[in-house]
Amino acid sequence: MQVTLLGTGTSVGIPIIGCPCRVCSSEDPRDVRTRCSCLVQTRGLTIVIDTGPDFRQQMLREGITEIDAVLFSHHHFDHVAGLDDLRPYFFRNKRPIPCFANDRTQHTLRQMYPWIFGTRFFYIAAPRLQLRACDGPFEVESRYGRDGTVEVIPIALLHGSSSVVGYRIGRFAYLTDTSHVPEQAYGDLQDLDVLVIDALQQGPHDKHLSIGEAVAVATRLAPRQTVLIHMTHSVLHAEENARLPAGVMLGYDGLSLGVC
């Protein structure tokens, strides 16, 4: 399995428009963070987690020509606003793309994209997407006729008072935008090779884990490698990464990870 972090930043991205701070003006490319999204390639399948406002540029940067499924963590704009940019994935393959999401996210997508999910036909170029539930383990299969499937285990998390979804695929788990990992979730997160987890900043926040809280979750789960994402512009990559314990690192856009 190969996992690529497409984006690792907060809802406004980094650099923030008009901000002169040392992170937003940093020349370190690791401090340039587009909105959070993730790519998983395994067993001949390509799976995307979230389609934020930077989705198009992320796909161009990584040269991704096929997508078999999209998994949505939650309904917030910075995780769904690039959905219509899935259209080019139908130019050569007309099979619908399954989009797995919880009830709240499905409801929001139907409201945001009536030309895709509405009952009326709005325009011929709309991507053909199928909303599917993620209230239990499910399988993703190829849109391209290849053999084999991949099992995905949704992980129920909290993002402030909102219910969001993390995902486990094999020995990889992706937990973005979470302020609390419920006790029940720890049972589904044992024996990980790579954990990618929300870590907004040093200080506490009501809707996100802090860096210290994320490290505490990682310490309990003990994966081989933990990668922190969704950092704000208070986090300078070089400085913060140097402070982290062994087995924990800051993620950055384009980071590719092999998963055993």
Side-chain angles (χ1 to χ4, degrees), residues 95 105 123 242:
R95 295 182 181 179
T105 302
Y123 74 103

Side-chain angles (χ1 to χ4, degrees), residues 86-95 97 127-128 143:
L86 286 166
R87 282 187 292 156
Y89 292 99
F90 296 90
F91 291 167
R92 292 178 297 275
N93 182 349
K94 305 302 182 184
R95 295 182 181 179
I97 295 178
R128 299 177 62 199
R143 287 177 63 235

Side-chain angles (χ1 to χ4, degrees), residues 50-71:
D50 290 336
T51 58
D54 304 305
F55 175 73
R56 177 178 176 273
Q57 290 299 328
Q58 292 166 346
M59 294 293 97
L60 289 171
R61 186 189 72 210
E62 300 300 330
I64 304 304
T65 59
E66 298 182 356
I67 292 179
D68 294 289
V70 179
L71 317 180

Side-chain angles (χ1 to χ4, degrees), residues 134 153-159 162-167 175 178 180-186 188-189:
C134 62
I153 299 173
I155 309 293
L157 305 169
L158 287 176
H159 180 31
S162 297
S163 296
V164 299
V165 185
Y167 292 99
L175 314 180
T178 181
H180 177 64
V181 180
E183 193 63 31
Q184 182 178 351
Y186 282 93
D188 291 326
L189 293 169

Side-chain angles (χ1 to χ4, degrees), residues 61-139:
R61 186 189 72 210
E62 300 300 330
I64 304 304
T65 59
E66 298 182 356
I67 292 179
D68 294 289
V70 179
L71 317 180
F72 285 103
S73 62
H74 64 302
H75 63 283
H76 287 169
F77 184 85
D78 55 316
H79 293 261
V80 304
L83 186 69
D84 194 64
D85 285 328
L86 286 166
R87 282 187 292 156
Y89 292 99
F90 296 90
F91 291 167
R92 292 178 297 275
N93 182 349
K94 305 302 182 184
R95 295 182 181 179
I97 295 178
C99 296
F100 295 87
N102 64 16
D103 289 345
R104 176 67 184 278
T105 302
Q106 290 193 35
H107 175 74
T108 300
L109 291 176
R110 288 189 176 98
Q111 288 187 316
M112 289 179 68
Y113 298 100
W115 62 91
I116 299 175
F117 301 111
T119 57
R120 294 179 59 194
F121 187 73
F122 282 81
Y123 74 103
I124 195 168
R128 299 177 62 199
L129 308 178
Q130 293 179 341
L131 291 176
R132 298 187 185 180
C134 62
D135 48 9
F138 56 88
E139 290 190 339

Side-chain angles (χ1 to χ4, degrees), residues 188-205:
D188 291 326
L189 293 169
Q190 297 301 308
D191 192 30
L192 292 175
D193 185 52
V194 175
L195 169 67
V196 175
I197 187 168
D198 182 16
L200 186 73
Q201 59 193 20
Q202 279 287 354
H205 193 278

